[in-house]
Amino acid sequence: MNFKNLVLIAVSFFVFSVSAQSRGVFLSSYSDVTKIALEKLADQTTFSKFNIESVKKSKSIDSKIILLKIEADNKWIKKFKLKPNTVKSEGFQIINKDNNTYLIASDDSGLMYGILELRDQLKLNGNNSKFIEKTEIPHFPFRAVKFNLPWSSYRIGESLHLHMKTVKDISFWEGYLDMMAENRLNALTLWNLHPFTFMVQPEKFPEATQFTGQEFKDWQKFWRQLFKMAKDRNIETYIVNWNIITSPGITETHNVANYKDDLEWHYGFTPADTSQVIVDYMRETITQTINEYPNLTGLGVSIGERMKMPMEDAMKWVKNTFIEGMKNADRKVKFIHRAPFKVEPEIAREYIESYTDFPDPIIMEFKFNWSHGHSTPNLAITHGGKVSDQYWNPKPSNYKMAWMMRNEDFIMLNWGNTEFIREHIAVNDIPDVTAGYFIGSETYIPAKEFRMNPDVNYNWKYAYEKDWEFYQMWGRLMYDPNTSDDYFIKNFNYRYGNEVGESLFRALQLGSKMPLRFSTFYKGTWDFTIYSEGFLNGKQLYRNYKEAEDAFIRIDEMITHETLDPLYLNIDEYNNLKLARKSISNEYVTPLELANEMERNGLKILALCHKMEGSSIHNAENFNIEINDVKAWAHLSLYFADKLMAGINLDEAVKTKSLEKKQKAIDYLRQGSKHWLNLIDSTKQYQEVSLLHIRSFKFSWEMYYPRVLKDIEIVESINF
């Protein structure tokens, strides 16, 4: 960081008396980013609003918070012998000296995060506590949310369309962006098939115009407000689409890109249309979008799906549309390029590393373990190809990689596991290559709260507010993986009370291992191949079956299904080794070990829940929902354990013709069915909902109870 180019923009402005009874804020020349953060700080303290006046009008005070945007030779640094060289971009330093607290940063982003840190300390430690000195430097520069838009959506279904009104409401975005800033998430990536007709009226292609008059003006206002609000919170914005999908007007007028239905274009049965009119339209529209939205940070492209063509042709198409369109714009923008699904890095790298007109390294988005990133922290599969290190070995010259941590495995229940996130970062942070992560879902939009039973009371408005642990843990740990569990426990204490906060945190940590272990043991690929919290294999439903209940994973099918992580043995492999009296290396995880872990976790969760009974709590409505969620994880863990044990015994029974083992399998399945009934009881706070995992069908755990019992019938019917 070159501190010589930075200027001192602020001095004392925040009066903080020792008794915390009298506080005032003075704003003068602060940026919008800093002001937004200060407003959040004001919300946490005892005063009600800012005094917008020059600091020179301030009377004498006992204690101050002094904000410094530093340069190498400014007087404050020299006077107090502070250490500006330790403060990097987006980082900050808090120092207590001479009865004052100094917040030092090298840029507006660092000031914002530092102010929000002060706010956090007041919130979690009390208004009368002394500020804790600390220096924070972001571990990753790119900490992104993947947010699929409900219009021109990649998937089709009620579970997406029900969010239309909410996602176009700017008040929703104000809260969502505040949440991102508070959790130090700094990039919002917005995904859909063809965003441009919602953003511009193409000058050279008027037939592409989809909206006119006031309706189009409303869309323009929405985008401009959204991008400005994000910029004011140090959040970059990117529009990302799926390539050769075009405007309905272009398709109809020129008879191009006429893909018949969502399944056909998704699976690529129809060859991609690379007509020149599409190339020209895309290039011109990209340029116009950049020019008309100055607060939009950048664009992104995904060259999979419709691009059924040789890799050379696909990369050439991107160059002639996106790259040329961005080059022709009035300003430079940033670029996200999804790693090609075919995984031919030698071709992709040659093109991408030839792009030299970007102000920052290109972000190469790489799906971690396809659509199920919340599984093993070891990279086991990619989208459509074998794992290869050729994208980062040798190190790229002009791009950095960001892992896409797709979540298609828990949508109803709260999730949070700091151990997994820290381990994932430790294993997958490739020096000088990994820029960060994307977190988000393809099939779940965290906007309208559609999951809760109407008879249940809760204190939030939007879905993401219920999912607070997911965003907080991922965001804070991407910023600083060394953030201790104590920080998260304090947040639980703040929400629900000191008597229950740590126990609830520990219970959620244990429960959140269930979907991780399940999706590691039971290999999934694309979105619907597994839905861990539902114990479903949606691939069976989409390809073979007609009823939603048929997606439930049967006991016989689970025995031979491939594991995601090669260090996990499936039941068939495990029994073959055991019956052959072959030793099993300690590096392998056996189904028996996994069953024992799930049983221990389930019982520990229930013990923690029992411990919290009768405790003093606040925000009881939300607490009751949270504790029911962890109970649900407990019962899912216990059911998973019993089903594994049933599978082990059933497989051995078939291979050895043992009636005793067959009966043990039945006993475990009957025991598991009781856990499923307890799961149903714990999830009564939810209504039956539309989930794209099961397409047009509703989902609840209760609807799958007959399939739980069906497993018992399957085993009973087996004859030797």
Side-chain angles (χ1 to χ4, degrees):
M1 178 61 62
N2 184 0
F3 293 105
K4 292 183 180 180
N5 296 327
L6 299 173
V7 295
L8 174 67
I9 65 164
V11 291
S12 170
F13 69 91
F14 178 36
V15 181
F16 177 51
S17 70
V18 176
S19 64
Q21 296 299 313
S22 175
R23 296 181 179 180
V25 170
F26 304 90
L27 292 176
S28 52
S29 59
Y30 301 111
S31 70
D32 288 341
V33 171
T34 306
K35 288 178 182 178
I36 291 288
L38 289 173
E39 289 170 359
K40 300 303 173 187
L41 180 62
D43 289 343
Q44 183 58 41
T45 55
T46 56
F47 56 80
S48 60
K49 62 181 180 179
F50 292 112
N51 297 313
I52 309 297
E53 57 183 297
S54 169
V55 68
K56 295 180 180 179
K57 296 181 181 180
S58 172
K59 298 180 180 179
S60 62
I61 55 178
D62 296 323
S63 180
K64 302 179 241 184
I65 294 177
I66 297 176
L67 261 64
L68 300 175
K69 189 176 179 184
I70 54 178
E71 58 181 7
D73 59 351
N74 81 51
K75 62 180 181 180
W76 296 95
I77 304 305
K78 290 182 177 180
K79 181 177 179 179
F80 296 111
K81 298 180 181 179
L82 304 177
K83 299 178 180 179
N85 292 329
T86 62
V87 181
K88 308 297 183 182
S89 177
E90 289 193 294
F92 61 87
Q93 189 173 23
I94 297 172
I95 296 176
N96 296 318
K97 194 176 183 66
D98 299 334
N99 203 37
N100 295 325
T101 295
Y102 294 85
L103 172 58
I104 306 168
S106 65
D107 53 22
D108 288 336
S109 305
L111 283 179
M112 180 188 75
Y113 289 134
I115 293 166
L116 292 175
E117 170 64 26
L118 296 177
R119 175 181 183 263
D120 242 12
Q121 291 193 23
L122 289 171
K123 179 181 78 173
L124 300 178
N125 302 329
N127 283 355
N128 290 318
S129 60
K130 185 177 181 179
F131 287 113
I132 299 170
E133 292 189 332
K134 66 189 312 184
T135 299
E136 292 209 355
I137 301 170
H139 185 80
F140 290 120
F142 187 80
R143 308 178 298 277
V145 167
K146 179 187 194 294
F147 196 107
N148 274 30
L149 295 168
W151 48 84
S152 189
S153 57
Y154 176 68
R155 299 290 185 192
I156 297 173
E158 177 60 23
S159 61
L160 296 182
H161 296 164
L162 62 85
H163 298 285
M164 286 280 196
K165 183 177 180 181
T166 304
V167 176
K168 201 181 174 185
D169 184 350
I170 207 67
S171 62
F172 161 77
W173 285 108
E174 182 176 14
Y176 192 84
L177 293 168
D178 282 347
M179 176 278 294
M180 287 183 63
E182 289 160 8
N183 292 321
R184 300 181 187 173
L185 295 159
N186 68 352
L188 174 66
T189 63
L190 301 164
W191 300 61
N192 72 353
L193 293 180
H194 191 74
F196 304 109
T197 54
F198 297 85
M199 302 180 74
V200 296
Q201 294 179 328
E203 297 170 358
K204 297 183 180 180
F205 294 89
E207 66 272 25
T209 296
Q210 192 169 343
F211 305 99
T212 58
Q214 188 59 46
E215 187 176 14
F216 180 68
K217 290 179 181 178
D218 289 342
W219 277 111
Q220 285 182 307
K221 181 181 179 181
F222 165 77
W223 295 115
R224 286 169 180 158
Q225 284 182 306
L226 174 57
F227 299 151
K228 178 63 166 64
M229 287 169 57
K231 187 175 183 180
D232 288 347
R233 290 158 176 79
N234 185 46
I235 295 171
E236 297 182 339
T237 46
Y238 297 84
I239 294 292
V240 190
N241 81 313
W242 284 272
N243 50 78
I244 312 181
I245 307 294
T246 189
S247 155
I250 293 291
T251 294
E252 294 168 9
T253 302
H254 302 279
N255 193 27
V256 294
N258 189 19
Y259 310 126
K260 294 181 181 179
D261 61 43
D262 64 314
L263 286 179
E264 187 162 313
W265 71 253
H266 176 69
Y267 294 117
F269 299 151
T270 303
D273 192 332
T274 58
S275 301
Q276 188 62 41
V277 66
I278 297 178
V279 173
D280 294 341
Y281 162 71
M282 289 293 294
R283 183 178 58 247
E284 296 297 331
T285 303
I286 286 166
T287 301
Q288 190 173 338
T289 299
I290 295 168
N291 290 343
E292 291 192 15
Y293 294 96
N295 289 321
L296 174 64
T297 307
L299 300 175
V301 67
S302 168
I303 61 168
E305 316 307 346
R306 272 287 3 114
M307 302 191 79
K308 189 176 176 65
M309 62 180 79
M311 181 61 67
E312 179 83 24
D313 294 344
M315 296 302 298
K316 189 177 297 183
W317 189 88
V318 171
K319 181 178 181 180
N320 291 335
T321 54
F322 278 82
I323 303 304
E324 290 300 317
M326 289 186 279
K327 184 186 297 185
N328 295 337
D330 296 338
R331 63 187 176 92
K332 302 291 186 182
V333 294
K334 297 185 180 183
F335 188 40
I336 294 171
H337 196 303
R338 169 169 278 178
F341 296 164
K342 294 180 182 178
V343 192
E344 297 182 54
E346 64 282 355
I347 298 175
R349 285 193 65 159
E350 182 180 353
Y351 273 88
I352 293 171
E353 291 185 291
S354 71
Y355 305 149
T356 58
D357 288 341
F358 292 98
D360 293 278
I362 294 167
I363 295 294
M364 174 77 83
E365 179 258 320
F366 203 96
K367 282 187 180 180
F368 195 94
N369 288 340
W370 209 319
S371 295
H372 302 278
H374 293 82
S375 51
T376 171
N378 302 316
L379 182 61
I381 57 173
T382 62
H383 191 151
K386 296 180 180 180
V387 173
S388 168
D389 68 351
Q390 290 178 270
Y391 276 115
W392 58 88
N393 184 20
K395 292 178 181 178
S397 61
N398 68 334
Y399 68 83
K400 301 287 187 182
M401 287 184 54
W403 300 112
M404 172 63 79
M405 295 297 292
R406 285 274 295 278
N407 167 38
E408 312 303 333
D409 292 294
F410 41 85
I411 291 174
M412 307 292 285
L413 305 177
N414 281 20
W415 183 94
N417 187 279
T418 56
E419 177 185 354
F420 168 75
I421 298 171
R422 290 194 193 96
E423 183 181 5
H424 204 288
I425 291 171
V427 171
N428 298 290
D429 182 10
I430 305 168
D432 300 321
V433 173
T434 306
Y437 284 78
F438 297 79
I439 57 170
S441 174
E442 198 92 326
T443 59
Y444 167 55
I445 296 177
K448 179 181 174 64
E449 182 51 88
F450 65 102
R451 300 163 293 187
M452 306 308 298
N453 189 311
D455 297 329
V456 173
N457 294 322
Y458 54 91
N459 295 321
W460 67 82
K461 183 175 182 180
Y462 300 114
Y464 73 85
E465 295 175 280
K466 178 182 185 294
D467 308 331
W468 68 275
E469 296 103 330
F470 176 82
Y471 291 103
Q472 185 180 89
M473 291 179 188
W474 264 113
R476 295 295 296 232
L477 291 171
M478 280 192 282
Y479 184 88
D480 180 9
N482 295 317
T483 302
S484 71
D485 282 350
D486 183 61
Y487 170 76
F488 302 105
I489 291 169
K490 284 182 177 180
N491 275 275
F492 277 83
N493 288 340
Y494 176 78
R495 284 174 177 264
Y496 303 121
N498 293 341
E499 292 186 20
V500 297
E502 183 168 1
S503 292
L504 185 56
F505 169 81
R506 301 293 179 198
L508 183 64
Q509 293 276 293
L510 291 167
S512 296
K513 290 183 178 181
M514 183 270 162
L516 301 175
R517 299 293 187 266
F518 182 82
S519 55
T520 303
F521 174 78
Y522 190 95
K523 181 180 179 179
T525 54
W526 56 287
D527 306 0
F528 309 116
T529 49
I530 53 170
Y531 172 40
S532 297
E533 70 180 357
F535 227 87
L536 306 182
N537 180 339
K539 179 179 180 180
Q540 296 180 121
L541 174 65
Y542 264 66
R543 298 287 177 84
N544 304 315
Y545 300 138
K546 296 181 180 180
E547 300 297 330
E549 290 85 350
D550 290 330
F552 191 73
I553 296 170
R554 299 179 0 163
I555 182 64
D556 50 346
E557 193 265 336
M558 196 174 82
I559 290 172
T560 57
H561 192 87
E562 185 181 0
T563 64
L564 173 64
D565 193 324
L567 293 179
Y568 275 57
L569 295 176
N570 72 11
I571 293 171
D572 176 56
E573 293 167 333
Y574 168 67
N575 274 334
N576 286 343
L577 291 170
K578 187 176 70 170
L579 293 172
R581 300 184 182 278
K582 293 183 178 180
S583 62
I584 300 175
S585 171
N586 290 333
E587 69 176 342
Y588 288 108
V589 178
T590 70
L592 180 60
E593 291 171 328
L594 183 56
N596 289 336
E597 180 192 5
M598 290 295 96
E599 183 179 33
R600 286 194 304 270
N601 289 354
L603 294 175
K604 285 179 182 178
I605 294 167
L606 295 178
L608 286 166
C609 290
H610 180 70
K611 178 182 176 182
M612 287 183 274
E613 291 177 3
S615 298
S616 175
I617 59 172
H618 45 258
N619 195 6
E621 293 89 349
N622 289 11
F623 174 77
N624 290 335
I625 289 167
E626 293 244 28
I627 201 167
N628 281 333
D629 273 6
V630 297
K631 286 179 180 178
W633 284 128
H635 299 309
L636 274 167
S637 298
L638 293 169
Y639 175 77
F640 186 21
D642 283 339
K643 190 148 182 169
L644 284 166
M645 294 303 299
I648 292 169
N649 281 277
L650 173 60
D651 183 51
E652 188 172 348
V654 172
K655 289 173 177 174
T656 64
K657 296 182 170 39
S658 169
L659 292 175
E660 180 184 358
K661 292 291 183 181
K662 174 182 174 180
Q663 186 58 49
K664 281 189 176 182
I666 293 170
D667 292 342
Y668 274 115
L669 290 173
R670 285 175 177 163
Q671 183 172 283
S673 70
K674 295 176 183 178
H675 295 312
W676 198 273
L677 284 174
N678 289 330
L679 170 64
I680 292 169
D681 187 62
S682 297
T683 55
K684 286 182 178 178
Q685 60 199 16
Y686 300 110
Q687 60 182 333
E688 286 192 357
V689 297
S690 296
L691 293 179
L692 277 177
H693 295 93
I694 49 178
R695 207 169 186 188
S696 60
F697 301 98
K698 299 285 188 179
F699 169 81
S700 73
W701 285 275
E702 185 173 9
M703 69 182 288
Y704 287 99
Y705 182 63
R707 292 302 196 215
V708 171
L709 298 179
K710 182 71 174 177
D711 274 347
I712 301 172
E713 295 179 18
I714 291 171
V715 178
E716 288 177 332
S717 67
I718 293 176
N719 295 312
F720 303 130

